[in-house]
Amino acid sequence: MIPTLVMIALGAFVTTLDNTIVAAGAPSIARDLGLDLPTLQWVSIGYMLPFAGLLPVAGTLVDRWGQAATLRAGLLAFGAGAAVGGVAMTAWLVIAARVLQGAAAAFLVPTLLSLLRTNLDARGRAVGATVWTACLAVALALGPPLGGVLSEYLGWGWIFFVNLPFVAAMLALRRKVATAGRDPAARRPAAGSMLVMTTGMVLITAAVVRLGEGDVLAPVALGAAGTAFASWFVLREKRARERLVPPELTRQRVFTGALGVQMLWGLGVSGIFFFTPLLHQEFLGLGPVLAGLPLVVVAVAVVAATPLVPWAVPRFGPHRTVATGLATVAAGLLALAAVNHVPEVLPRIPSLVLIGAGSALTTPLTSYALEIVAERHSGTASGLLTASRELSSALGVALIGTVLAVVRTARLGEGAAPALAGGYTAGLLTAAALELVGAVLAFKLLKERAGRNPSPSDKRGDPFLTSP
Protein backbone atom coordinates (compact mmCIF):
# COMPACT_ATOMS: atom_id res chain seq x y z
CA MET A 1 0.00 0.00 0.00
CA ILE A 2 2.73 2.51 0.98
CA PRO A 3 4.68 2.33 -2.34
CA THR A 4 1.44 2.87 -4.27
CA LEU A 5 0.48 5.89 -2.18
CA VAL A 6 3.95 7.39 -2.51
CA MET A 7 3.86 6.83 -6.27
CA ILE A 8 0.52 8.55 -6.75
CA ALA A 9 1.56 11.39 -4.41
CA LEU A 10 4.70 12.10 -6.45
CA GLY A 11 2.78 11.83 -9.72
CA ALA A 12 -0.09 14.07 -8.64
CA PHE A 13 2.36 16.68 -7.38
CA VAL A 14 4.69 16.82 -10.37
CA THR A 15 2.01 16.76 -13.11
CA THR A 16 0.09 19.56 -11.37
CA LEU A 17 3.26 21.50 -10.60
CA ASP A 18 4.01 21.75 -14.31
CA ASN A 19 0.68 23.54 -14.79
CA THR A 20 1.60 26.32 -12.34
CA ILE A 21 5.39 26.57 -11.99
CA VAL A 22 5.85 28.21 -15.40
CA ALA A 23 3.73 31.27 -14.51
CA ALA A 24 6.33 32.99 -12.30
CA GLY A 25 9.23 32.04 -14.59
CA ALA A 26 7.51 33.08 -17.83
CA PRO A 27 8.75 36.71 -17.73
CA SER A 28 12.34 35.47 -17.32
CA ILE A 29 11.91 33.07 -20.26
CA ALA A 30 10.49 35.92 -22.35
CA ARG A 31 13.41 38.23 -21.57
CA ASP A 32 16.14 35.66 -22.17
CA LEU A 33 14.69 34.28 -25.41
CA GLY A 34 13.21 37.56 -26.67
CA LEU A 35 9.65 36.25 -26.81
CA ASP A 36 6.67 38.43 -27.58
CA LEU A 37 3.45 37.95 -25.65
CA PRO A 38 1.68 35.63 -28.15
CA THR A 39 4.68 33.29 -28.30
CA LEU A 40 5.05 33.30 -24.52
CA GLN A 41 1.49 32.04 -24.16
CA TRP A 42 2.43 28.82 -25.96
CA VAL A 43 4.87 27.94 -23.19
CA SER A 44 1.79 27.34 -21.03
CA ILE A 45 -0.64 26.27 -23.75
CA GLY A 46 1.87 23.74 -25.10
CA TYR A 47 1.49 21.69 -21.92
CA MET A 48 -2.26 22.00 -21.52
CA LEU A 49 -3.49 21.21 -25.05
CA PRO A 50 -1.90 17.76 -25.48
CA PHE A 51 -2.87 16.97 -21.90
CA ALA A 52 -6.50 17.79 -22.72
CA GLY A 53 -6.50 16.20 -26.17
CA LEU A 54 -5.06 12.82 -25.18
CA LEU A 55 -6.91 12.29 -21.90
CA PRO A 56 -10.18 11.00 -23.43
CA VAL A 57 -8.37 7.99 -24.97
CA ALA A 58 -5.51 7.62 -22.50
CA GLY A 59 -7.47 5.49 -20.04
CA THR A 60 -8.39 2.98 -22.74
CA LEU A 61 -4.80 2.83 -23.96
CA VAL A 62 -3.58 2.17 -20.41
CA ASP A 63 -5.81 -0.92 -20.35
CA ARG A 64 -4.53 -2.08 -23.75
CA TRP A 65 -0.84 -1.45 -23.06
CA GLY A 66 -0.78 -2.39 -19.38
CA GLN A 67 0.04 -0.25 -16.36
CA ALA A 68 3.75 -1.14 -16.24
CA ALA A 69 4.54 -0.28 -19.88
CA THR A 70 2.46 2.92 -19.84
CA LEU A 71 3.95 4.12 -16.55
CA ARG A 72 7.52 3.51 -17.71
CA ALA A 73 6.98 5.19 -21.10
CA GLY A 74 5.12 8.13 -19.54
CA LEU A 75 7.84 8.79 -16.99
CA LEU A 76 10.64 8.56 -19.54
CA ALA A 77 8.81 10.95 -21.90
CA PHE A 78 8.04 13.37 -19.07
CA GLY A 79 11.67 13.34 -17.97
CA ALA A 80 12.92 13.78 -21.53
CA GLY A 81 10.69 16.83 -21.93
CA ALA A 82 12.04 18.28 -18.68
CA ALA A 83 15.66 17.73 -19.76
CA VAL A 84 15.13 19.27 -23.19
CA GLY A 85 13.23 22.26 -21.78
CA GLY A 86 15.99 22.96 -19.26
CA VAL A 87 18.71 23.26 -21.90
CA ALA A 88 16.58 24.80 -24.68
CA MET A 89 17.85 28.05 -26.16
CA THR A 90 15.01 28.73 -28.59
CA ALA A 91 11.31 29.37 -28.07
CA TRP A 92 10.10 26.49 -30.18
CA LEU A 93 12.34 23.97 -28.45
CA VAL A 94 10.92 25.09 -25.09
CA ILE A 95 7.38 24.76 -26.46
CA ALA A 96 8.17 21.33 -27.96
CA ALA A 97 9.46 20.20 -24.55
CA ARG A 98 6.23 21.38 -22.95
CA VAL A 99 4.16 19.52 -25.56
CA LEU A 100 6.07 16.31 -24.80
CA GLN A 101 5.51 16.76 -21.06
CA GLY A 102 1.80 17.45 -21.55
CA ALA A 103 1.36 14.34 -23.69
CA ALA A 104 3.22 12.27 -21.10
CA ALA A 105 1.10 13.68 -18.26
CA ALA A 106 -2.07 12.67 -20.13
CA PHE A 107 -0.99 9.03 -19.78
CA LEU A 108 0.57 9.28 -16.34
CA VAL A 109 -2.58 10.61 -14.65
CA PRO A 110 -4.99 7.78 -15.63
CA THR A 111 -2.24 5.19 -15.05
CA LEU A 112 -1.62 6.41 -11.51
CA LEU A 113 -5.33 6.63 -10.75
CA SER A 114 -5.85 3.09 -12.05
CA LEU A 115 -3.29 1.92 -9.46
CA LEU A 116 -5.73 3.03 -6.78
CA ARG A 117 -8.37 0.74 -8.21
CA THR A 118 -6.13 -2.29 -8.75
CA ASN A 119 -3.75 -2.10 -5.77
CA LEU A 120 -5.87 -0.84 -2.87
CA ASP A 121 -9.00 -1.89 -1.03
CA ALA A 122 -11.90 0.48 -0.34
CA ARG A 123 -10.23 2.01 2.71
CA GLY A 124 -6.95 2.38 0.87
CA ARG A 125 -8.68 4.09 -2.06
CA ALA A 126 -10.19 6.62 0.32
CA VAL A 127 -6.72 7.35 1.72
CA GLY A 128 -5.35 7.53 -1.80
CA ALA A 129 -8.05 10.00 -2.86
CA THR A 130 -7.10 12.24 0.08
CA VAL A 131 -3.40 11.99 -0.76
CA TRP A 132 -4.07 12.80 -4.41
CA THR A 133 -6.19 15.86 -3.60
CA ALA A 134 -3.72 17.11 -0.97
CA CYS A 135 -0.84 16.87 -3.44
CA LEU A 136 -2.84 18.80 -6.04
CA ALA A 137 -3.42 21.57 -3.50
CA VAL A 138 0.25 21.65 -2.41
CA ALA A 139 1.44 21.82 -6.03
CA LEU A 140 -1.05 24.60 -6.75
CA ALA A 141 0.30 26.59 -3.79
CA LEU A 142 4.02 25.93 -4.31
CA GLY A 143 4.16 26.23 -8.11
CA PRO A 144 4.35 30.03 -8.55
CA PRO A 145 6.75 30.80 -5.67
CA LEU A 146 8.96 27.82 -6.52
CA GLY A 147 9.10 28.94 -10.14
CA GLY A 148 10.06 32.41 -8.96
CA VAL A 149 12.83 31.15 -6.64
CA LEU A 150 14.32 28.90 -9.31
CA SER A 151 14.17 31.62 -12.00
CA GLU A 152 15.74 34.27 -9.79
CA TYR A 153 18.54 32.28 -8.18
CA LEU A 154 19.32 29.35 -10.52
CA GLY A 155 17.89 30.38 -13.89
CA TRP A 156 14.58 29.50 -15.52
CA GLY A 157 15.96 26.23 -16.91
CA TRP A 158 15.60 24.79 -13.42
CA ILE A 159 11.82 25.12 -13.74
CA PHE A 160 12.22 22.09 -16.00
CA PHE A 161 15.13 20.38 -14.24
CA VAL A 162 13.22 20.29 -10.93
CA ASN A 163 11.00 17.59 -12.46
CA LEU A 164 13.87 15.15 -12.90
CA PRO A 165 14.26 14.07 -9.22
CA PHE A 166 10.55 13.21 -9.14
CA VAL A 167 10.84 11.19 -12.34
CA ALA A 168 13.91 9.35 -11.03
CA ALA A 169 12.18 8.56 -7.73
CA MET A 170 9.08 7.23 -9.48
CA LEU A 171 11.13 5.09 -11.87
CA ALA A 172 12.97 3.58 -8.89
CA LEU A 173 9.73 3.06 -6.98
CA ARG A 174 8.00 1.47 -9.96
CA ARG A 175 9.60 -1.93 -9.26
CA LYS A 176 7.96 -2.03 -5.82
CA VAL A 177 4.46 -1.24 -7.10
CA ALA A 178 2.31 -4.06 -8.44
CA THR A 179 1.05 -3.30 -11.94
CA ALA A 180 -1.54 -4.96 -14.14
CA GLY A 181 -0.61 -6.30 -17.55
CA ARG A 182 -2.29 -5.78 -20.89
CA ASP A 183 -6.01 -6.39 -21.19
CA PRO A 184 -6.71 -8.11 -24.53
CA ALA A 185 -10.43 -7.45 -24.05
CA ALA A 186 -10.00 -3.69 -23.69
CA ARG A 187 -12.04 -1.75 -26.23
CA ARG A 188 -10.30 0.00 -29.10
CA PRO A 189 -9.65 3.69 -28.45
CA ALA A 190 -11.34 6.23 -30.68
CA ALA A 191 -7.95 7.48 -31.87
CA GLY A 192 -9.26 8.95 -35.13
CA SER A 193 -11.86 11.08 -33.38
CA MET A 194 -9.28 12.13 -30.81
CA LEU A 195 -6.89 13.29 -33.55
CA VAL A 196 -9.63 15.27 -35.32
CA MET A 197 -10.77 16.87 -32.06
CA THR A 198 -7.22 17.78 -30.96
CA THR A 199 -6.42 19.32 -34.35
CA GLY A 200 -9.52 21.47 -34.08
CA MET A 201 -8.58 22.54 -30.55
CA VAL A 202 -5.07 23.55 -31.62
CA LEU A 203 -6.31 25.54 -34.63
CA ILE A 204 -8.97 27.40 -32.64
CA THR A 205 -6.50 28.20 -29.86
CA ALA A 206 -3.96 29.43 -32.41
CA ALA A 207 -6.65 31.65 -33.95
CA VAL A 208 -7.36 33.27 -30.57
CA VAL A 209 -3.64 33.81 -29.91
CA ARG A 210 -3.07 35.37 -33.34
CA LEU A 211 -5.85 37.89 -32.70
CA GLY A 212 -3.52 39.51 -30.18
CA GLU A 213 -0.95 40.16 -32.90
CA GLY A 214 -3.23 42.59 -34.71
CA ASP A 215 -3.55 40.34 -37.74
CA VAL A 216 -6.97 39.57 -39.22
CA LEU A 217 -6.48 37.13 -42.08
CA ALA A 218 -4.53 34.48 -40.14
CA PRO A 219 -6.99 34.26 -37.20
CA VAL A 220 -9.94 34.00 -39.59
CA ALA A 221 -8.24 31.25 -41.59
CA LEU A 222 -7.17 29.35 -38.49
CA GLY A 223 -10.59 29.76 -36.89
CA ALA A 224 -12.36 28.55 -40.01
CA ALA A 225 -10.09 25.50 -40.22
CA GLY A 226 -10.60 24.78 -36.53
CA THR A 227 -14.37 25.05 -36.90
CA ALA A 228 -14.25 22.70 -39.87
CA PHE A 229 -12.37 20.10 -37.82
CA ALA A 230 -14.84 20.55 -34.95
CA SER A 231 -17.73 19.95 -37.34
CA TRP A 232 -15.95 16.91 -38.74
CA PHE A 233 -15.56 15.59 -35.22
CA VAL A 234 -19.30 15.92 -34.56
CA LEU A 235 -20.19 14.12 -37.81
CA ARG A 236 -17.58 11.43 -37.17
CA GLU A 237 -18.92 10.79 -33.69
CA LYS A 238 -22.45 10.28 -35.03
CA ARG A 239 -21.27 7.58 -37.42
CA ALA A 240 -18.46 5.95 -35.42
CA ARG A 241 -18.83 2.49 -33.91
CA GLU A 242 -16.45 3.40 -31.06
CA ARG A 243 -17.27 6.93 -29.97
CA LEU A 244 -14.93 9.20 -28.07
CA VAL A 245 -17.93 10.59 -26.17
CA PRO A 246 -20.74 8.09 -25.50
CA PRO A 247 -24.17 9.41 -26.57
CA GLU A 248 -25.51 8.64 -23.09
CA LEU A 249 -23.27 11.42 -21.77
CA THR A 250 -24.10 13.99 -24.44
CA ARG A 251 -27.81 13.49 -23.72
CA GLN A 252 -27.30 14.07 -19.98
CA ARG A 253 -28.13 17.72 -19.37
CA VAL A 254 -26.39 17.98 -15.99
CA PHE A 255 -23.18 16.43 -17.31
CA THR A 256 -22.96 18.61 -20.43
CA GLY A 257 -23.90 21.62 -18.30
CA ALA A 258 -21.07 20.85 -15.90
CA LEU A 259 -18.63 20.64 -18.81
CA GLY A 260 -19.76 24.03 -20.13
CA VAL A 261 -19.72 25.76 -16.76
CA GLN A 262 -16.31 24.33 -15.95
CA MET A 263 -15.03 25.67 -19.27
CA LEU A 264 -16.22 29.17 -18.37
CA TRP A 265 -14.57 28.97 -14.94
CA GLY A 266 -11.25 27.92 -16.47
CA LEU A 267 -11.43 30.50 -19.26
CA GLY A 268 -11.60 33.27 -16.70
CA VAL A 269 -9.31 32.11 -13.91
CA SER A 270 -6.48 30.37 -15.78
CA GLY A 271 -5.57 33.26 -18.04
CA ILE A 272 -5.46 35.71 -15.14
CA PHE A 273 -3.38 33.24 -13.10
CA PHE A 274 -0.78 32.98 -15.89
CA PHE A 275 -0.36 36.71 -16.52
CA THR A 276 -0.41 37.91 -12.89
CA PRO A 277 3.35 37.32 -12.25
CA LEU A 278 4.12 39.20 -15.48
CA LEU A 279 2.11 42.19 -14.24
CA HIS A 280 3.75 42.01 -10.81
CA GLN A 281 7.21 42.14 -12.37
CA GLU A 282 6.62 44.69 -15.12
CA PHE A 283 4.15 47.02 -13.34
CA LEU A 284 4.83 46.54 -9.64
CA GLY A 285 8.57 46.11 -10.10
CA LEU A 286 8.80 42.87 -8.11
CA GLY A 287 11.41 40.16 -8.64
CA PRO A 288 10.43 36.66 -9.78
CA VAL A 289 10.11 35.35 -6.21
CA LEU A 290 7.82 38.09 -4.89
CA ALA A 291 5.90 38.24 -8.17
CA GLY A 292 4.63 34.68 -7.74
CA LEU A 293 4.16 34.76 -3.99
CA PRO A 294 0.72 36.50 -3.92
CA LEU A 295 -0.76 33.62 -5.90
CA VAL A 296 -0.19 31.41 -2.87
CA VAL A 297 -3.07 33.35 -1.30
CA VAL A 298 -5.41 31.92 -3.94
CA ALA A 299 -4.31 28.35 -3.19
CA VAL A 300 -4.59 28.85 0.57
CA ALA A 301 -8.09 30.28 0.14
CA VAL A 302 -9.10 27.24 -1.96
CA VAL A 303 -7.90 24.87 0.77
CA ALA A 304 -9.51 26.92 3.55
CA ALA A 305 -12.90 27.17 1.83
CA THR A 306 -13.12 23.55 0.60
CA PRO A 307 -14.57 22.24 3.92
CA LEU A 308 -17.58 24.48 3.31
CA VAL A 309 -18.59 22.48 0.24
CA PRO A 310 -19.97 19.33 1.96
CA TRP A 311 -21.87 21.63 4.33
CA ALA A 312 -23.31 23.84 1.58
CA VAL A 313 -24.37 21.29 -1.06
CA PRO A 314 -26.99 19.41 1.04
CA ARG A 315 -28.47 22.69 2.26
CA PHE A 316 -28.50 24.78 -0.90
CA GLY A 317 -28.03 22.26 -3.70
CA PRO A 318 -25.12 22.00 -6.11
CA HIS A 319 -26.64 24.56 -8.46
CA ARG A 320 -26.72 27.32 -5.84
CA THR A 321 -23.34 26.34 -4.39
CA VAL A 322 -21.56 26.44 -7.74
CA ALA A 323 -23.37 29.60 -8.86
CA THR A 324 -22.39 31.34 -5.61
CA GLY A 325 -18.79 30.21 -6.10
CA LEU A 326 -18.61 31.59 -9.63
CA ALA A 327 -20.25 34.84 -8.55
CA THR A 328 -17.67 35.13 -5.76
CA VAL A 329 -14.85 34.59 -8.25
CA ALA A 330 -16.35 37.32 -10.44
CA ALA A 331 -16.54 39.66 -7.44
CA GLY A 332 -12.87 39.00 -6.71
CA LEU A 333 -11.88 39.72 -10.31
CA LEU A 334 -13.89 42.96 -10.35
CA ALA A 335 -12.38 44.01 -7.02
CA LEU A 336 -8.91 43.33 -8.42
CA ALA A 337 -9.69 45.41 -11.51
CA ALA A 338 -10.80 48.28 -9.24
CA VAL A 339 -7.40 48.43 -7.47
CA ASN A 340 -5.19 47.42 -10.39
CA HIS A 341 -4.08 51.00 -11.00
CA VAL A 342 -2.40 51.01 -7.56
CA PRO A 343 1.21 49.79 -7.93
CA GLU A 344 1.17 47.87 -4.63
CA VAL A 345 0.55 44.24 -3.64
CA LEU A 346 -1.39 44.63 -0.38
CA PRO A 347 -4.64 46.08 -1.87
CA ARG A 348 -4.82 43.01 -4.15
CA ILE A 349 -4.84 40.40 -1.37
CA PRO A 350 -8.58 40.53 -0.48
CA SER A 351 -9.45 40.08 -4.15
CA LEU A 352 -7.19 37.03 -4.43
CA VAL A 353 -8.85 35.54 -1.34
CA LEU A 354 -12.28 35.93 -2.97
CA ILE A 355 -11.07 34.26 -6.18
CA GLY A 356 -9.67 31.28 -4.26
CA ALA A 357 -12.67 30.86 -1.96
CA GLY A 358 -15.11 31.09 -4.86
CA SER A 359 -13.14 28.53 -6.86
CA ALA A 360 -13.41 26.07 -3.96
CA LEU A 361 -17.20 26.29 -4.13
CA THR A 362 -17.12 25.11 -7.77
CA THR A 363 -15.96 21.62 -6.67
CA PRO A 364 -19.50 20.12 -7.06
CA LEU A 365 -19.22 20.76 -10.81
CA THR A 366 -17.21 17.56 -11.08
CA SER A 367 -18.42 15.50 -8.15
CA TYR A 368 -22.13 16.00 -8.91
CA ALA A 369 -21.66 15.38 -12.63
CA LEU A 370 -19.92 12.06 -11.86
CA GLU A 371 -22.67 11.01 -9.46
CA ILE A 372 -25.37 11.10 -12.11
CA VAL A 373 -23.60 9.16 -14.89
CA ALA A 374 -23.90 5.39 -15.30
CA GLU A 375 -21.17 3.25 -13.78
CA ARG A 376 -19.97 1.95 -17.15
CA HIS A 377 -19.25 5.54 -18.24
CA SER A 378 -17.61 6.78 -15.03
CA GLY A 379 -14.04 6.46 -16.36
CA THR A 380 -14.88 8.21 -19.63
CA ALA A 381 -16.78 10.94 -17.78
CA SER A 382 -13.84 11.51 -15.42
CA GLY A 383 -11.47 11.81 -18.37
CA LEU A 384 -13.75 14.25 -20.19
CA LEU A 385 -14.15 16.46 -17.12
CA THR A 386 -10.40 16.54 -16.54
CA ALA A 387 -9.77 17.18 -20.23
CA SER A 388 -12.24 20.06 -20.29
CA ARG A 389 -10.45 21.59 -17.31
CA GLU A 390 -7.11 21.48 -19.16
CA LEU A 391 -8.66 22.74 -22.40
CA SER A 392 -10.33 25.65 -20.64
CA SER A 393 -6.97 26.54 -19.07
CA ALA A 394 -5.28 26.61 -22.48
CA LEU A 395 -8.05 28.65 -24.08
CA GLY A 396 -8.12 30.94 -21.04
CA VAL A 397 -4.44 31.79 -21.43
CA ALA A 398 -5.03 32.44 -25.14
CA LEU A 399 -8.17 34.56 -24.64
CA ILE A 400 -6.95 36.71 -21.75
CA GLY A 401 -3.58 37.06 -23.48
CA THR A 402 -5.30 38.36 -26.61
CA VAL A 403 -7.38 40.89 -24.66
CA LEU A 404 -4.28 42.01 -22.76
CA ALA A 405 -2.20 42.33 -25.94
CA VAL A 406 -4.82 44.29 -27.88
CA VAL A 407 -5.45 46.81 -25.08
CA ARG A 408 -1.75 47.13 -24.26
CA THR A 409 -0.93 47.88 -27.91
CA ALA A 410 -3.67 50.53 -28.04
CA ARG A 411 -2.28 52.22 -24.88
CA LEU A 412 1.47 52.03 -25.53
CA GLY A 413 1.58 55.83 -25.73
CA GLU A 414 1.05 55.89 -21.94
CA GLY A 415 4.25 53.90 -21.33
CA ALA A 416 4.98 50.18 -21.33
CA ALA A 417 4.10 49.45 -17.69
CA PRO A 418 0.80 51.45 -17.56
CA ALA A 419 -0.19 49.95 -20.92
CA LEU A 420 0.37 46.44 -19.54
CA ALA A 421 -1.70 47.31 -16.45
CA GLY A 422 -4.51 48.60 -18.67
CA GLY A 423 -4.47 45.37 -20.67
CA TYR A 424 -4.53 43.33 -17.46
CA THR A 425 -7.54 45.31 -16.21
CA ALA A 426 -9.36 44.57 -19.46
CA GLY A 427 -8.48 40.91 -18.99
CA LEU A 428 -9.92 40.98 -15.47
CA LEU A 429 -13.18 42.49 -16.70
CA THR A 430 -13.42 39.88 -19.46
CA ALA A 431 -12.78 37.08 -16.97
CA ALA A 432 -15.39 38.45 -14.56
CA ALA A 433 -17.99 38.50 -17.34
CA LEU A 434 -17.24 34.85 -18.15
CA GLU A 435 -17.62 33.86 -14.50
CA LEU A 436 -20.99 35.64 -14.24
CA VAL A 437 -22.27 33.86 -17.34
CA GLY A 438 -21.07 30.61 -15.78
CA ALA A 439 -22.94 31.42 -12.55
CA VAL A 440 -26.21 31.90 -14.43
CA LEU A 441 -25.74 28.68 -16.40
CA ALA A 442 -24.81 26.74 -13.27
CA PHE A 443 -27.99 27.84 -11.52
CA LYS A 444 -30.11 26.73 -14.48
CA LEU A 445 -28.33 23.63 -15.77
CA LEU A 446 -27.37 21.99 -12.48
CA LYS A 447 -30.83 22.56 -11.01
CA GLU A 448 -32.46 19.60 -12.76
CA ARG A 449 -31.67 17.03 -10.07
CA ALA A 450 -30.97 19.37 -7.18
CA GLY A 451 -32.02 18.10 -3.81
CA ARG A 452 -31.57 14.45 -4.76
CA ASN A 453 -29.50 12.49 -2.27
CA PRO A 454 -27.61 9.83 -4.19
CA SER A 455 -27.48 6.39 -2.70
CA PRO A 456 -24.08 4.77 -2.20
CA SER A 457 -24.58 2.78 -5.39
CA ASP A 458 -25.03 6.02 -7.32
CA LYS A 459 -21.64 7.40 -6.32
CA ARG A 460 -19.82 5.82 -9.20
CA GLY A 461 -17.41 8.55 -10.14
CA ASP A 462 -13.77 8.82 -9.27
CA PRO A 463 -13.55 10.90 -6.07
CA PHE A 464 -9.92 11.75 -6.73
CA LEU A 465 -10.91 13.66 -9.87
CA THR A 466 -13.39 15.95 -8.17
CA SER A 467 -11.24 19.00 -7.42
CA PRO A 468 -11.71 22.04 -9.68
Side-chain angles (χ1 to χ4, degrees), residues 205-303:
T205 305
V208 177
V209 172
R210 290 297 297 270
L211 280 172
E213 299 178 10
D215 192 5
V216 176
L217 184 59
V220 170
L222 289 168
T227 302
F229 271 92
S231 302
W232 183 15
F233 169 73
V234 173
L235 292 175
R236 184 185 178 91
E237 282 286 276
K238 289 181 178 179
R239 300 170 182 172
R241 179 178 298 178
E242 293 290 343
R243 295 191 180 186
L244 190 64
V245 183
E248 292 86 352
L249 294 182
T250 58
R251 290 195 292 263
Q252 174 52 256
R253 182 181 176 217
V254 172
F255 182 78
T256 56
L259 286 176
V261 173
Q262 185 170 256
M263 285 286 293
L264 289 167
W265 172 81
L267 281 171
V269 171
S270 299
I272 296 300
F273 195 88
F274 180 75
F275 289 106
T276 295
L278 177 65
L279 177 90
H280 288 175
Q281 291 190 45
E282 302 297 330
F283 182 58
L284 304 187
L286 303 178
V289 176
L290 294 178
L293 201 57
L295 292 179
V296 177
V297 174
V298 178
V300 171
V302 169
V303 174

Side-chain angles (χ1 to χ4, degrees), residues 1 21 32 141 156 186-187 196 245 298 330 332 399 405 421 444:
M1 176 176 175
I21 195 171
D32 286 356
W156 59 263
R187 69 182 181 90
V196 172
V245 183
V298 178
L399 176 61
K444 291 184 176 181

Side-chain angles (χ1 to χ4, degrees), residues 74-394:
L75 287 171
L76 290 174
F78 196 86
V84 171
V87 300
M89 297 302 294
T90 64
W92 295 111
L93 193 54
V94 171
I95 294 170
R98 292 285 285 169
V99 169
L100 180 57
Q101 285 191 294
F107 288 95
L108 285 175
V109 168
T111 304
L112 293 168
L113 293 177
S114 68
L115 292 176
L116 290 179
R117 299 188 186 96
T118 59
N119 291 17
L120 303 174
D121 57 18
R123 182 178 179 183
R125 285 194 292 272
V127 174
T130 302
V131 169
W132 181 273
T133 304
C135 289
L136 296 182
V138 172
L140 178 67
L142 288 183
L146 179 59
V149 169
L150 293 173
S151 298
E152 187 163 346
Y153 296 109
L154 296 177
W156 59 263
W158 282 90
I159 291 176
F160 295 90
F161 290 145
V162 75
N163 293 300
L164 295 178
F166 292 94
V167 172
M170 293 175 73
L171 284 171
L173 190 62
R174 181 177 55 87
R175 296 187 178 92
K176 299 182 180 180
V177 175
T179 52
R182 299 176 60 183
D183 180 6
R187 69 182 181 90
R188 294 180 59 186
S193 293
M194 180 272 294
L195 182 60
V196 172
M197 178 192 71
T198 303
T199 303
M201 287 179 354
V202 171
L203 289 170
I204 291 171
T205 305
V208 177
V209 172
R210 290 297 297 270
L211 280 172
E213 299 178 10
D215 192 5
V216 176
L217 184 59
V220 170
L222 289 168
T227 302
F229 271 92
S231 302
W232 183 15
F233 169 73
V234 173
L235 292 175
R236 184 185 178 91
E237 282 286 276
K238 289 181 178 179
R239 300 170 182 172
R241 179 178 298 178
E242 293 290 343
R243 295 191 180 186
L244 190 64
V245 183
E248 292 86 352
L249 294 182
T250 58
R251 290 195 292 263
Q252 174 52 256
R253 182 181 176 217
V254 172
F255 182 78
T256 56
L259 286 176
V261 173
Q262 185 170 256
M263 285 286 293
L264 289 167
W265 172 81
L267 281 171
V269 171
S270 299
I272 296 300
F273 195 88
F274 180 75
F275 289 106
T276 295
L278 177 65
L279 177 90
H280 288 175
Q281 291 190 45
E282 302 297 330
F283 182 58
L284 304 187
L286 303 178
V289 176
L290 294 178
L293 201 57
L295 292 179
V296 177
V297 174
V298 178
V300 171
V302 169
V303 174
T306 296
L308 293 175
V309 175
W311 173 85
V313 171
R315 289 167 175 79
F316 308 112
H319 61 306
R320 292 191 182 93
T321 303
V322 173
T324 300
L326 291 166
T328 303
V329 172
L333 293 166
L334 291 172
L336 191 55
V339 301
N340 191 48
H341 64 284
V342 181
E344 298 176 12
V345 172
L346 193 59
R348 302 167 188 268
I349 299 301
S351 305
L352 297 175
V353 170
L354 284 176
I355 293 171
S359 294
L361 294 177
T362 66
T363 300
L365 272 176
T366 307
S367 56
Y368 185 58
L370 289 175
E371 284 177 354
I372 53 87
V373 301
E375 183 175 4
R376 66 184 182 277
H377 296 310
S378 62
T380 301
S382 297
L384 289 172
L385 287 162
T386 308
S388 73
R389 191 159 58 242
E390 292 295 326
L391 175 60
S392 70
S393 296

